[in-house]
Amino acid sequence: LLCCKSLSKNFLFQLLGLSIATLSTVTHYGLHFTVISNISLESNSYRVIHHAAFYFGICLSMTLILAALLSSAATVRESQCLTAMGFFCFALAFCGLIPAACWRYMHSTEVEDSMMDVYDLVYEEVRRNTSSFRRHELTAIHEAFLCCGKHSPFGDTTNVEHETCPPSQEGDAEQDCLREIHDFLKKRMDFVPTLLGVTIGFMVYGMILTSFLWFSIHFSSNLDRKGRYVLR
């Protein structure tokens, strides 16, 4: 019974790892994110964040899944070596999550600012030179976010809006692209601190679980009670 409970908890760790991998992949290849990341600017700082977040998420998910598999194998085989390896994987993931949480706390607007900077640069370049190839990039952004340029407080528009906005959005003062980017990110980024907190909690629980498992196996072996240890 105890073995089944331990395996079920390890299944939750695997499920969390798969969820993180899925979320990272969907975000990385999502249209709204890729259309900004693919802008060919040397100063496109968002591209670095875009790729770093994806690789971090994939590495974290793989580490978490490996830790869960090692813990499951250690439970079945009563192996101290596998238990120690599982603990190391949980600790490694924990050490990676702490800097990520700190970065998110100290740079809470970094993603939004970098995306808006990219849009500003593309918009201004198209405004200065309407024949620029960036007009196609700006059109792609407008179509992805269903927005239309940057509206001035005086309510006037430029040729940029007329040439690059979707017909259904042109002249709609409510669809300012900077506001749309802000609203889009706010809906999707507000849960990131919660996700980081939950994942960190799981890592701590995983380290505690593997520690007790290691000591249980160790003392069970010394007392010649192998196969009958109890975790509480």
Side-chain angles (χ1 to χ4, degrees), residues 53-219:
F54 172 71
Y55 292 122
F56 175 80
I58 294 300
C59 291
L60 176 62
S61 64
M62 294 300 101
T63 303
L64 187 54
I65 293 173
L66 178 61
L69 291 175
L70 289 171
S71 298
S72 298
T75 302
V76 174
R77 301 182 60 181
E78 301 185 14
S79 171
Q80 290 179 265
C81 180
L82 291 176
T83 304
M85 293 173 63
F87 176 87
F88 175 77
C89 289
F90 282 122
L92 184 64
F94 176 81
C95 292
L97 282 166
I98 295 301
C102 292
W103 186 91
R104 171 59 185 169
Y105 176 77
M106 299 177 64
H107 302 84
S108 58
T109 63
E110 185 78 16
V111 176
E112 179 181 334
D113 292 343
S114 62
M115 291 184 74
M116 288 186 175
D117 287 344
V118 171
Y119 180 80
D120 276 332
L121 291 171
V122 174
Y123 181 91
E124 292 301 324
E125 186 168 334
V126 173
R127 187 178 64 82
R128 290 192 300 268
N129 180 14
T130 55
S131 63
S132 171
F133 72 96
R134 299 214 184 278
R135 181 171 57 186
H136 300 289
E137 296 178 331
L138 186 62
T139 301
I141 295 175
H142 289 164
E143 291 176 349
F145 286 92
L146 296 178
C147 58
C148 185
K150 299 190 301 181
H151 299 288
S152 71
F154 303 104
D156 58 332
T157 58
T158 66
N159 290 332
V160 176
E161 280 78 8
H162 297 296
E163 295 178 357
T164 63
C165 290
S168 61
Q169 304 298 326
E170 186 176 340
D172 189 348
E174 296 298 325
Q175 300 300 323
D176 182 278
C177 280
L178 296 181
R179 180 178 295 276
E180 286 299 308
I181 292 173
H182 169 76
D183 293 342
F184 172 81
L185 289 176
K186 182 174 177 58
K187 293 176 182 178
R188 288 156 178 80
M189 298 298 290
D190 283 350
F191 76 95
V192 171
T194 302
L195 178 62
L196 286 172
V198 170
T199 308
I200 290 173
F202 268 92
M203 296 306 98
V204 174
Y205 178 73
M207 288 188 289
I208 294 174
L209 182 65
T210 49
S211 296
F212 276 113
L213 182 60
W214 188 91
F215 282 108
S216 297
I217 295 173
H218 176 73
F219 288 116

